[in-house]
Amino acid sequence: MNPPSADKLSDPPTENTGLLSLEYKLRATVALDEGNKRGAILYQTKSLSASKRQKYSQTSRQCINLDDLIRKVIKVGTNKNQSPTRHSDDYADLCKRCAELPTEWTVIQIAKEYAPRSTSMVHKEMLNESTPIWLTVFRCSDSCEGAPFEPILIPLDAPASKPDHKYSNYFQHITSISTEARKSIASNTSTTASENQANLLEAVEQLISSAVLRTIEWLGPWSNLFIGKFRSAADQKLEGEIFDTIEEFCVNHQINRTGQRLVSLIARRLDLLSELQLFELCDCELLDLDDAQVEALYTLLVSLKQTKFREAREERLNCYPVVLIIDELLDCMPWEMVHPTGEFCRFSNFWTLSELYRTHAKRIKNGYLTLSAKQCCTIINPDKNLEKMSARLQMFYKEWYPDFQQLVDQPPTEREFSEILNTSDVLVYNGHGSGLQFMNGETMLERDINCVTFLFGCDSVRLYSNGLFKDMTGTHLYYNAARCPTVIGALWVLTDLYTDIYSMLLVGNWIPSTNPAYVKQSISSLDTVAFKAGKWQFNKQPSSSKLFIKKHSNLLRLMGDCRLFYHLPQRIRKKENPMALLQRSIMLHQWGWWNPLLTVLLLQLPASHVLALQKELTINVAAGNVDCFFEMAKAGQTIDIEYQVIDGGHGDLDISFELAEVTGRTIFADYKKSDNIHRFPVAYDGEYKFCFDNGFSRTNSKTVFFELIIEREGEQEDPAGWADIDLLEGLTPEEFYDMKVQDMEDAIKRVRNNLTKARQLQDVLRSHEARDRNVAEENYFKVNVWSFFQILVMVAVGTLQVFMVKSLFDVDSRAYKLLTKL
């Protein structure tokens, strides 16, 4: 029997239940099987918002009495048979809402497909169920200008199992992160040995890093979807050239508009993809190309990569924000780490995104929400059981923000909490949980909140299950319903020290200090060791220090910087919730000199911290031996290794090479090669092993020269990122002087970097010269040995001839008698 079509299924229930999500997911799957991609997109989008749209509707936000409630129930009961909205109208409304979003945004939805066994599974089983994942692109950098844009659906197979991992199931892997993090923190507060605690915390770091790596491997070429629209003119020009080339190709090879859009979107940063990933894109079912088209498209993309991306690109993404709409069943995954330097924020569903945008549209300029920071409030340790946090943060706010309203070591009443949310521009909460324990969620729904809310507490924006067939709930959902423009919180359990450091880095670099003594000081240079000990002091800037985090008015950009801050573990990954697309607009009433677009203060790292490593070694690998070297690398860095055999010990110039993790997983392996170059982006912190194997040679040793570079590309941000701002407007002489000094410093660093590259090239050329000399000397040795043996043979033959001729004339010799007998 054929299954019913998506539109002919029974009308979904109107009750507020998690079954709505399952039913719409089923409709989406059926629609896709029928080839109805519009219906699949619509129903999948509805599955993430249908029940929430009822629960947090404008009606539910109104406080009504019992009589009104009874009349509402009676009215609903008498209108059960009213006709449902037509599918075409709903899809048209979806497209309309997409079109009204800012053109600077990139909007992507990530959702799990319907699982047939969903109605028989408990919530944990639904989280761990291995199902395909659908990516839906609602807004992006469109290559087909003038043509109407419709959402694009990209169905992807479920990530493959990894038997060598602790959790072979990808979904079980990502959902285990919160549990493992809680266990490690719990052990950290117990009497467990410090070494065991460190091992547990390191295991959580590895778990998160491997989850990110698995996600990137699974996404393949589609990881480039997470790159926002380019901000700089140079990137936009290159993007236009690529779009034109691909458009011409698609016209000549009869590829449809959707295929052109997808290929163009991925090709914007071809340098981030391997040739294998490019072939995976060309051969995907979504493009549905024949063999000749696949080969032609692959050739084109490889050519574009070689010609358009010959020069190294900055690692930091200079792009506008990417808005992620995340299925509640995938919310525990740090999707922002696919491209950690990008600007990301996430929403629970498209409807929430659209409603919040419509509410705050007048304040959104160039894709960012602008607000004033006149009235700021902080709540510190309201549960009165985090004494060290309280002491540290009181010291911070007393020194850095003396004008902030503070509520310290005191739980706010519901009325006080409500007043803070209604009157503040910024609220910073530092304590246990999310603060919702001080205000009922239903009460919060009745508010209209306009303040930016930082919730620096454990699991502050984590989603929780309320039971079978119930929507997951979280604090940020109540804030969203109350029209709060931004909620920043934590996905997992955190320690109070790291939370304090993160909150100071983020807030301190976003809002300028109100203390005149620290007007030109950066909170990023705070001595964290002294701060932990209860002392307030700053590190002096060494002349050789690296620049890392800058003060900036863009909150999302600062979050990208903090994701790479080496003082913080990877589990400190804050979840950015609507509407985190913020550019702060400071009112000039108490900080009159401050212009957040001009002043640039930078984080000074300690001189002892090495951000880049470079080694050049020439080693001798004996016959039958394997020589290995070990180096530490951090997530976000890149390992570059180039080797060549310069002496073969009278044998061939070849060696086997392996780059592997200490766990044993091989990353690259070469067998009997004379030279090669490998480049590997490090996904997570750890020790890496480099081995040269001469085991196949029985007698000949090998002399190998290799150069190893471990560094983070684009550490020093190009100041040209400010090119779109009039830097001379409103500058004081001191600020202008600082800016010019910074320009000279950047120029000197560029010269130094170019000289370093020139020296590296000279070292490589010297190794080539050494290899060629060794080859020449080896040939010289072989010629001499062969000539020596030839001379010996010639002397022996001549001697024998003389002896035999002489014997022919001596009749008494034995030789004569022997020769006559023969």
Side-chain angles (χ1 to χ4, degrees):
M1 182 176 65
N2 295 329
S5 76
D7 292 331
K8 293 182 180 179
L9 292 172
S10 59
D11 293 335
T14 57
E15 294 81 6
N16 184 18
T17 167
L19 284 173
L20 274 174
S21 176
L22 292 179
E23 176 149 358
Y24 278 121
K25 280 181 180 286
L26 172 59
R27 288 171 177 261
T29 303
V30 173
L32 185 62
D33 291 340
E34 296 173 345
N36 181 9
K37 290 190 176 181
R38 289 185 174 182
I41 292 172
L42 175 64
Y43 291 128
Q44 183 68 279
T45 304
K46 282 188 172 183
S47 72
L48 304 187
S49 62
S51 56
K52 294 182 179 64
R53 195 165 183 174
Q54 294 182 21
K55 182 175 181 179
Y56 303 112
S57 65
Q58 185 64 33
T59 304
S60 65
R61 296 183 62 221
Q62 298 174 354
C63 183
I64 55 178
N65 56 36
L66 183 59
D67 293 336
D68 293 335
L69 182 61
I70 293 174
R71 283 194 293 270
K72 178 184 174 184
V73 171
I74 294 174
K75 182 178 179 181
V76 171
T78 59
N79 289 279
K80 286 184 177 180
N81 297 323
Q82 59 185 357
S83 59
T85 307
R86 291 184 302 171
H87 161 80
S88 58
D89 293 340
D90 289 343
Y91 185 79
D93 180 65
L94 175 64
C95 293
K96 177 183 177 182
R97 288 175 177 266
C98 289
E100 68 184 14
L101 296 176
T103 57
E104 293 83 2
W105 291 2
T106 299
V107 184
I108 301 172
Q109 179 175 279
I110 309 173
K112 292 185 74 172
E113 190 179 87
Y114 174 76
R117 300 188 303 116
S118 296
T119 54
S120 62
M121 290 189 293
V122 299
H123 184 76
K124 185 176 181 180
E125 292 173 333
M126 293 177 64
L127 289 173
N128 296 336
E129 180 71 4
S130 184
T131 62
I133 295 179
W134 292 5
L135 303 181
T136 306
V137 181
F138 290 116
R139 197 88 166 148
C140 64
S141 186
D142 191 11
S143 59
C144 303
E145 295 182 1
F149 181 85
E150 290 190 13
I152 303 174
L153 176 62
I154 307 172
L156 300 179
D157 294 334
S161 297
K162 298 279 187 178
D164 56 330
H165 282 61
K166 180 178 180 181
Y167 299 99
S168 60
N169 182 334
Y170 169 82
F171 298 99
Q172 187 179 6
H173 186 161
I174 63 176
T175 54
S176 67
I177 294 176
S178 59
T179 304
E180 296 291 344
R182 185 174 292 277
K183 288 181 181 178
S184 67
I185 299 298
S187 68
N188 199 31
T189 58
S190 64
T191 57
T192 311
S194 59
E195 183 177 354
N196 187 35
Q197 294 171 1
N199 291 337
L200 290 173
L201 292 173
E202 178 63 24
V204 174
E205 299 296 296
Q206 295 292 341
L207 188 68
I208 298 172
S209 298
S210 59
V212 174
L213 183 61
R214 288 182 72 174
T215 303
I216 295 173
E217 290 177 351
W218 163 71
L219 284 171
W222 307 113
S223 61
N224 275 13
L225 293 174
F226 292 76
I227 298 175
K229 291 190 176 182
F230 293 136
R231 196 192 309 271
S232 71
D235 287 339
Q236 292 173 1
K237 180 181 177 182
L238 177 59
E239 178 187 63
E241 295 173 357
I242 292 174
F243 282 178
D244 293 340
T245 304
I246 293 178
E247 181 180 17
E248 182 180 357
F249 176 87
C250 292
V251 171
N252 293 335
H253 291 79
Q254 298 180 348
I255 298 177
N256 59 30
R257 288 284 192 179
T258 300
Q260 178 186 339
R261 284 185 164 111
L262 287 176
V263 175
S264 300
L265 194 59
I266 301 302
R268 296 161 66 240
R269 284 299 299 266
L270 286 172
D271 56 311
L272 300 178
L273 301 178
S274 66
E275 292 187 4
L276 179 61
Q277 290 172 326
L278 295 182
F279 183 79
E280 182 182 346
L281 169 66
C282 300
D283 197 40
C284 69
E285 294 183 5
L286 198 61
L287 296 182
D288 192 23
L289 307 180
D290 58 35
D291 293 343
Q293 289 175 318
V294 169
E295 183 177 357
L297 179 57
Y298 173 74
T299 303
L300 173 68
L301 294 181
V302 171
S303 175
L304 285 175
K305 180 179 179 180
Q306 294 173 350
T307 57
K308 299 295 185 181
F309 297 92
R310 284 177 297 184
E311 298 182 359
R313 309 270 295 179
E314 291 287 341
E315 181 185 27
R316 163 172 285 283
L317 297 177
N318 186 17
C319 301
Y320 287 105
V322 176
V323 180
L324 300 177
I325 301 171
I326 308 296
D327 190 342
E328 63 183 26
L329 300 178
L330 299 171
D331 192 66
C332 51
M333 171 63 202
W335 298 97
E336 295 82 356
M337 292 301 293
V338 172
H339 291 294
T341 61
E343 298 180 11
F344 294 94
C345 66
R346 42 165 99 184
F347 290 75
S348 60
N349 57 79
F350 183 83
W351 173 76
T352 299
L353 164 64
S354 178
E355 291 300 315
L356 277 176
Y357 170 73
R358 289 181 173 183
T359 301
H360 300 281
K362 293 182 179 180
R363 295 197 291 164
I364 295 178
K365 307 295 182 184
N366 300 320
Y368 292 94
L369 179 73
T370 58
L371 71 153
S372 63
K374 295 185 295 184
Q375 184 68 29
C376 302
C377 179
T378 177
I379 300 175
I380 303 174
N381 188 29
D383 293 308
K384 299 186 290 186
N385 54 5
L386 296 172
E387 292 82 6
K388 293 183 179 179
M389 169 189 277
S390 178
R392 286 192 294 258
L393 291 181
Q394 285 187 69
M395 176 174 58
F396 165 67
Y397 284 106
K398 178 182 177 181
E399 296 288 341
W400 201 256
Y401 297 120
D403 295 341
F404 271 31
Q405 177 186 349
Q406 299 183 37
L407 185 64
V408 183
D409 297 336
Q410 178 182 345
T413 64
E414 187 170 285
R415 182 176 180 180
E416 288 175 328
F417 203 173
S418 178
E419 184 68 18
I420 291 173
L421 292 173
N422 287 336
T423 60
S424 300
D425 296 317
V426 178
L427 168 63
V428 183
Y429 173 87
N430 290 89
H432 285 301
S434 62
L436 201 60
Q437 64 266 37
F438 305 113
M439 174 181 282
N440 184 278
E442 302 300 325
T443 303
M444 182 176 290
L445 291 179
E446 302 173 10
R447 304 287 184 264
D448 283 318
I449 303 172
N450 284 312
C451 70
V452 177
T453 306
F454 295 87
L455 302 178
F456 294 114
C458 294
D459 292 335
S460 57
V461 291
R462 180 186 173 192
L463 291 174
Y464 293 89
S465 171
N466 291 326
L468 191 62
F469 305 139
K470 291 289 186 180
D471 282 332
M472 299 179 74
T473 58
T475 301
H476 56 288
L477 300 180
Y478 290 98
Y479 278 93
N480 298 163
R483 305 293 188 262
C484 179
T486 302
V487 182
I488 311 295
L491 281 170
W492 309 311
V493 175
L494 311 169
T495 57
D496 57 344
L497 174 62
Y498 285 126
T499 308
D500 295 346
I501 294 175
Y502 185 92
S503 64
M504 291 190 304
L505 279 174
L506 191 58
V507 179
N509 279 309
W510 185 52
I511 302 177
S513 173
T514 59
N515 188 341
Y518 301 113
V519 162
K520 295 188 177 182
Q521 182 67 56
S522 172
I523 190 62
S524 303
S525 59
L526 180 69
D527 189 333
T528 55
V529 176
F531 177 73
K532 182 179 179 180
K535 299 179 181 178
W536 181 261
Q537 64 185 48
F538 292 87
N539 293 320
K540 293 183 178 180
Q541 178 183 354
S543 58
S544 60
S545 65
K546 296 283 187 179
L547 307 181
F548 200 78
I549 298 182
K550 295 182 178 181
K551 282 186 176 181
H552 206 278
S553 60
N554 186 339
L555 185 58
L556 294 183
R557 173 171 169 163
L558 289 174
M559 289 178 178
D561 287 340
C562 290
R563 291 190 194 103
L564 301 179
F565 186 46
Y566 75 99
H567 273 315
L568 298 174
Q570 288 202 34
R571 63 183 178 278
I572 308 295
R573 299 298 181 223
K574 298 298 181 182
K575 174 179 177 181
E576 306 95 35
N577 276 284
M579 303 229 347
L581 311 174
L582 294 176
Q583 287 244 21
R584 188 193 61 257
S585 175
I586 301 298
M587 302 301 292
L588 306 179
H589 71 293
Q590 55 181 351
W591 314 316
W593 64 270
W594 176 261
N595 186 334
L597 296 178
L598 300 179
T599 303
V600 182
L601 296 178
L602 305 167
L603 168 65
Q604 314 303 330
L605 300 184
S608 61
H609 180 70
V610 180
L611 287 177
L613 176 144
Q614 178 184 347
K615 286 187 177 180
E616 298 171 358
L617 292 176
T618 301
I619 61 174
N620 187 65
V621 186
N625 283 5
V626 179
D627 287 354
C628 293
F629 303 84
F630 299 84
E631 287 294 345
M632 291 294 300
K634 293 185 175 295
Q637 291 182 322
T638 300
I639 296 175
D640 282 303
I641 183 166
E642 178 178 0
Y643 71 88
Q644 58 179 314
V645 183
I646 59 177
D647 190 9
H650 309 312
D652 293 331
L653 299 178
D654 54 7
I655 196 82
S656 295
F657 169 78
E658 180 185 25
L659 167 60
E661 299 173 349
V662 176
T663 58
R665 187 178 75 89
T666 300
I667 300 171
F668 297 112
D670 297 332
Y671 179 70
K672 297 184 70 174
K673 285 194 173 184
S674 62
D675 60 86
N676 209 345
I677 300 174
H678 291 295
R679 181 181 180 85
F680 173 66
V682 178
Y684 53 87
D685 298 355
E687 195 173 32
Y688 291 81
K689 178 172 66 174
F690 312 83
C691 292
F692 296 93
D693 185 359
N694 195 28
F696 57 84
S697 181
R698 300 293 181 89
T699 58
N700 297 318
S701 63
K702 305 293 173 63
T703 302
V704 182
F705 165 84
F706 71 92
E707 182 183 44
L708 174 66
I709 301 175
I710 301 178
E711 64 181 354
R712 188 186 307 279
E713 294 183 353
E715 283 170 351
Q716 299 173 18
E717 192 169 339
D718 186 0
W722 297 84
D724 56 337
I725 301 171
D726 186 2
L727 295 177
L728 300 179
E729 182 181 352
L731 281 178
T732 64
E734 293 80 7
E735 291 169 346
F736 183 79
Y737 172 81
D738 291 341
M739 186 179 66
K740 288 300 181 182
V741 170
Q742 182 65 45
D743 290 341
M744 288 187 287
E745 183 180 355
D746 292 337
I748 293 172
K749 287 176 180 177
R750 286 195 297 272
V751 173
R752 183 191 63 186
N753 291 337
N754 292 334
L755 289 175
T756 301
K757 292 178 181 178
R759 182 176 60 80
Q760 293 171 357
L761 179 59
Q762 289 176 340
D763 291 337
V764 173
L765 293 177
R766 278 198 295 269
S767 67
H768 281 289
E769 179 188 2
R771 182 186 65 180
D772 294 341
R773 180 179 179 83
N774 288 328
V775 170
E777 291 180 351
E778 178 66 16
N779 292 336
Y780 177 75
F781 173 81
K782 290 178 180 179
V783 170
N784 286 341
V785 170
W786 180 245
S787 300
F788 175 76
F789 280 110
Q790 282 184 324
I791 292 172
L792 289 179
V793 171
M794 291 172 63
V795 171
V797 171
T799 303
L800 180 61
Q801 287 176 342
V802 172
F803 175 75
M804 292 183 66
V805 172
K806 183 178 180 181
S807 299
L808 291 175
F809 298 96
D810 188 357
V811 295
D812 295 329
S813 67
R814 293 181 180 179
Y816 177 82
K817 294 176 181 180
L818 179 61
L819 290 173
T820 54
K821 289 181 179 181
L822 294 174

